[in-house]
Amino acid sequence: MCGIVGYIGERKAQDILLKGLKRLEYRGYDSAGVAVLNRHKISIVKRQGKLSVLSTELSGRPLAGTLGIGHTRWATHGAPSHKNAHPHRDCKGKIAVVHNGIIENYLELKKNLKKKGHKFLSETDTEILSHLVEEHYKGNLEEAVRRTVKMVKGSYAIAVIHEDEPYRIVGARCDSPLIVGLGKGENFLASDVPAILDYTHDVIYLDNHDIVTLTRGGVSVKDLSGRNMRKSPSRIKWDISQAEKAGYKHFMLKEIFEQGDVLRNMLEERIDKGRVVFNELEIPSKVFRSLKNIMIVACGTAYHAGLTGKYIIEECARIPCHVDTSSEFRYRDPVLDKNTLVVIVSQSGETADSLAALREAKRRGCKTLGICNVLGSSIAREADGVIYTHAGPEIAVASTKAYTAQLAIFYLIAIYLASLRKALTASGITSLIKEFGKCALLMNELLGEYKSEYNALAAYAQEFKRYYHAKHNKSYFLYLARNINYPNALEGALKLKEISYISAEGYPAGEMKHGPIALIDENPWVVCIATQAKTHDKMLSNMQEIKARGGIVIAMVTEGDKEIMHHNVNYVIEIPPVRELFSPLLTVIPLQLLAYYVALEFGYDIDQPRNLAKSVTVE
Ligand code: M6R
């Protein structure tokens, strides 16, 4: 939610800021701006709309200067507009501030600042920061920022520059990510690693309440009382090419097609001599041996992975699991104790509600485990233990490869627990590991079928668009499944609605008769996941009931399913045969692609859907 970049060095700041913002655009894209300091003068250019609008503006009148800060916004306080775009200035126009987060006590602070004569130009919470820094500035920007952040409540990652100190950028963070990139004769500040990977792989992950000062020659980090903090840099192992489209039309498509490799790499990394290994996990195995239940907490797609995780862990390791969305968990009074393991699933590791849920679980004395993709993220650092999904950077707002990586980690956790707690025999464990390995191959095989631009799912999407218009835009999607594939029905619906803005709901198919069947007429397209032998007949009945009421049925079945031919469904999607427990790894692929092709047909901005941002760092 909002991306920040800062640069100080010898190169043209504008170019580095724009390139960095481009890589952070997934964090917000309703307006963007830069402030560049040159000869004791700060110039600010900002524009409503995507970064490309700002880039076009700046290409016509580039800003000179080798120090600057930039921002790409996802609006919280104040509509997306030119006046609300960052950077924000103080009254004298000597200070510029960019901010990610929410200042919760901004109204009270604004009132006091107004009484002192400060004039505000925007509706944002951020603008109080530039005025507070102005108020506290007595010739030392770092000190003024320290005094400012001591007054604010809420979350922030900020970067601040001042015309009177044209040799430094000051940053600070609390509950919003901020990293420092270490260069030679230049240094960088950013919300996330991709922004700086063109220039350096050495980063410092800032902690809450750190105040950082960047000059060309160095970086110093202090705490809120001004004490120097020692920070060891981390080396980023992945390359910037991983954060590029590599010839694909969209990041989402590229990330969908990367899923087979993600699974294969996971197998290579996590299976050793027939055992599951989690090298980075700092929770002792005795904790896993003695735990009585598991609480999985997450948001959005990660929540759907958690729902599937429950089926997997309960079936393999026989440990009771509960699953909750982070925003609900944190405000209820869950029954937890020291024998509960709370598992927080988060691609970004920065989702505000998930981070708050983690802290709540810790406060209640539970052991906590993060399943995260982003290295060094807040959840990864604050949890008692972390297991990384290592799916590589996920740039598209709609999560795909992070989801299958989270599912895969749940299979591994379940196998790990089953083996530690002797819930399965040695041969049972071996056969699960073997089947898991097979899945990586089958996933690549399945993806191979959709490699051509003119594949069956693309054709179904075209048909849907025609139908949608013929039905005067009243068509929509339902996703039905049972048992372990039910969370994928939710995920398929989420994917479709977030990138194509078409109404879509996921239901456990058995619930249809308890209400949702009332919706069925000739408008909905109903995707029915019927790959599991155990519930196959029941799913066929569901399809009949939908067809009888005029609905359009897309049946997802296992290759070789002959029965489906007798059921007069409209479209069929086949997945390779795999043990039922592992089927969610495969059934989700066509759902992701179908969502992608529908959005493509309708001509929407697939990687940056409206109103969304990749990591939701505010409540
Ligand atoms: O970074 P996180 O996994 O914590 O993010 C959780 C959700 O915000 C995220 O999965 C969201 O639902 C995606 N846009 C779905 O595609």
Side-chain angles (χ1 to χ4, degrees):
M1 228 139 239
C2 302
I4 291 179
V5 190
Y7 174 74
I8 180 162
E10 288 174 359
R11 308 189 219 201
K12 264 185 85 182
Q14 174 185 305
D15 297 346
I16 289 169
L17 297 178
L18 288 177
K19 207 164 174 185
L21 290 177
K22 185 77 207 141
R23 303 218 194 271
L24 295 184
E25 216 183 358
Y26 69 86
R27 302 180 66 86
Y29 32 82
D30 57 44
S31 58
V34 294
V36 176
L37 208 165
N38 189 33
R39 298 171 194 264
H40 293 271
K41 203 85 222 113
I42 291 176
S43 308
I44 292 183
V45 179
K46 47 192 187 175
R47 286 290 174 273
Q48 184 182 344
K50 297 237 166 149
L51 184 66
S52 54
V53 183
L54 177 72
S55 300
T56 310
E57 174 66 27
L58 284 169
S59 64
R61 49 173 184 126
L63 299 174
T66 59
L67 183 164
I69 55 178
H71 189 265
T72 176
R73 180 171 187 246
W74 186 89
T76 58
H77 294 62
S81 65
H82 180 267
K83 75 172 178 194
N84 290 332
H86 300 211
H88 290 285
R89 286 186 187 266
D90 63 320
C91 294
K92 297 187 205 86
K94 282 174 155 277
I95 296 165
V97 175
V98 291
H99 165 226
N100 166 26
I102 291 183
I103 307 300
E104 287 164 7
N105 58 339
Y106 84 103
L107 282 174
E108 178 195 328
L109 293 168
K110 192 168 180 176
K111 202 161 112 197
N112 292 338
L113 286 162
K114 275 183 170 171
K115 272 190 205 147
K116 290 184 176 160
H118 288 264
K119 297 266 178 298
F120 287 82
L121 302 176
S122 78
E123 297 147 349
T124 64
D125 52 337
T126 304
E127 201 184 350
I128 61 118
L129 294 171
S130 43
H131 292 276
L132 278 177
V133 174
E134 176 181 28
E135 193 64 24
H136 291 304
Y137 188 73
K138 305 276 179 299
N140 182 337
L141 184 60
E142 186 186 291
E143 187 52 31
V145 170
R146 182 172 301 110
R147 284 171 186 270
T148 295
V149 297
K150 278 183 177 174
M151 295 181 72
V152 303
K153 289 194 190 117
S155 59
Y156 55 80
I158 57 172
V160 189
I161 55 176
H162 195 303
E163 286 184 353
D164 292 349
E165 300 189 29
Y167 43 80
R168 61 161 87 170
I169 301 175
V170 179
R173 77 153 271 178
C174 176
D175 287 345
S176 290
L178 195 60
I179 59 158
V180 175
L182 302 169
K184 289 200 174 67
E186 60 184 356
N187 287 302
F188 309 79
L189 201 58
S191 302
D192 197 1
V193 172
I196 55 166
L197 267 193
D198 281 304
Y199 316 103
T200 177
H201 281 61
D202 296 317
V203 304
I204 293 173
Y205 293 101
L206 295 173
D207 289 303
N208 280 347
H209 313 300
D210 282 349
I211 310 275
V212 63
T213 297
L214 280 74
T215 58
R216 280 185 188 187
V219 170
S220 85
V221 184
K222 295 185 183 161
D223 68 9
L224 282 186
S225 57
R227 231 187 354 240
N228 276 315
M229 307 291 290
R230 281 177 67 87
K231 299 272 166 183
S232 340
S234 306
R235 182 92 188 146
I236 302 295
K237 296 210 183 84
W238 52 274
D239 213 72
I240 196 60
S241 60
Q242 287 179 259
E244 281 165 353
K245 283 189 203 153
Y248 285 92
K249 226 181 214 158
H250 297 97
F251 278 110
M252 183 179 174
L253 195 61
K254 174 187 173 234
E255 288 159 9
I256 289 173
F257 281 107
E258 280 173 348
Q259 293 178 104
D261 292 343
V262 170
L263 228 61
R264 207 197 50 227
N265 294 341
M266 199 174 287
L267 277 165
E268 279 169 16
E269 188 198 342
R270 304 284 187 193
I271 306 286
D272 188 29
K273 301 190 186 84
R275 283 176 49 237
V276 172
V277 284
F278 294 125
N279 285 330
E280 73 274 51
L281 186 58
E282 284 176 0
I283 301 176
S285 54
K286 68 169 193 278
V287 172
F288 295 104
R289 276 201 195 92
S290 61
L291 61 92
K292 296 268 183 301
N293 54 32
I294 296 177
M295 178 84 225
I296 303 170
V297 187
C299 300
T301 287
Y303 168 68
H304 298 155
L307 288 174
T308 315
K310 173 185 160 72
Y311 287 90
I312 303 168
I313 293 173
E314 290 190 342
E315 180 171 334
C316 299
R318 308 305 298 155
I319 303 171
C321 284
H322 309 277
V323 193
D324 208 350
T325 51
S326 312
S327 51
E328 288 302 314
F329 173 85
R330 62 180 292 198
Y331 290 117
R332 67 183 174 90
D333 190 9
V335 183
L336 309 165
D337 64 28
K338 62 179 181 16
N339 293 318
T340 309
L341 175 73
V342 177
V343 180
I344 317 287
V345 193
S346 174
Q347 188 285 130
S348 63
E350 300 291 348
T351 300
D353 282 320
S354 298
L355 187 55
L358 164 70
R359 289 177 183 160
E360 181 58 23
K362 287 183 89 169
R363 199 183 64 76
R364 287 165 179 261
C366 302
K367 274 275 176 256
T368 54
L369 169 67
I371 300 179
C372 299
N373 194 38
V374 176
L375 299 190
S377 54
S378 300
I379 292 172
R381 282 185 297 161
E382 289 190 30
D384 296 310
V386 61
I387 299 177
Y388 284 113
T389 45
H390 291 314
E394 190 180 65
I395 309 289
V397 165
S399 184
T400 54
K401 65 174 178 173
Y403 178 66
T404 45
Q406 288 157 356
L407 293 184
I409 291 292
F410 275 116
Y411 288 106
L412 293 173
I413 289 178
I415 297 171
Y416 175 77
L417 289 173
S419 138
L420 261 188
R421 297 162 66 103
K422 311 227 175 316
L424 289 173
T425 59
S427 67
I429 301 280
T430 310
S431 110
L432 283 179
I433 292 180
K434 218 165 131 200
E435 193 71 20
F436 183 55
K438 195 172 125 192
C439 269
L441 299 173
L442 292 178
M443 192 184 274
N444 270 326
E445 194 181 290
L446 182 61
L447 285 165
E449 280 178 35
Y450 299 116
K451 271 270 147 97
S452 136
E453 261 185 66
Y454 306 100
N455 61 67
L457 296 173
Y460 299 170
Q462 274 176 10
E463 287 288 315
F464 174 74
K465 189 180 166 201
R466 267 197 289 274
Y467 194 85
Y468 181 82
H469 291 316
K471 294 284 167 206
H472 309 290
N473 304 354
K474 282 204 204 127
S475 269
Y476 59 94
F477 270 87
L478 289 176
Y479 292 76
L480 303 182
R482 289 171 185 254
N483 216 268
I484 198 166
N485 274 298
Y486 158 57
N488 270 358
L490 300 179
E491 178 59 9
L494 177 64
K495 284 294 83 87
L496 189 92
K497 65 184 133 190
E498 74 179 324
I499 58 171
S500 71
Y501 321 136
I502 286 163
S503 185
E505 292 302 330
Y507 287 107
E511 274 294 293
M512 280 305 277
K513 291 197 186 74
H514 300 283
I517 199 164
L519 287 170
I520 307 292
D521 54 14
E522 73 286 1
N523 286 317
W525 279 43
V526 188
V527 180
C528 297
I529 308 175
T531 52
Q532 295 160 259
K534 201 162 42 178
T535 53
H536 189 253
D537 289 350
K538 304 271 178 273
M539 287 303 304
L540 289 177
S541 305
N542 284 121
M543 293 183 219
Q544 287 304 335
E545 288 153 12
I546 294 156
K547 286 295 304 173
R549 287 160 180 81
I552 305 292
V553 171
I554 303 183
M556 193 189 298
V557 296
T558 302
E559 273 165 26
D561 183 329
K562 297 213 173 59
E563 249 192 288
I564 198 69
M565 311 313 287
H566 309 296
H567 284 76
N568 190 30
V569 297
N570 302 78
Y571 305 100
V572 174
I573 298 170
E574 291 188 325
I575 67 148
V578 69
R579 188 158 150 181
E580 289 191 10
L581 177 72
F582 291 93
S583 60
L585 282 170
L586 301 183
T587 57
V588 75
I589 304 284
L591 302 182
Q592 295 169 339
L593 282 164
L594 183 64
Y596 172 83
Y597 285 115
V598 171
L600 192 69
E601 272 304 312
F602 281 80
Y604 292 127
D605 188 341
I606 292 180
D607 286 336
Q608 296 175 349
R610 71 184 182 205
N611 303 340
L612 295 175
K614 182 77 182 157
S615 56
V616 183
T617 54
V618 294
E619 260 192 78

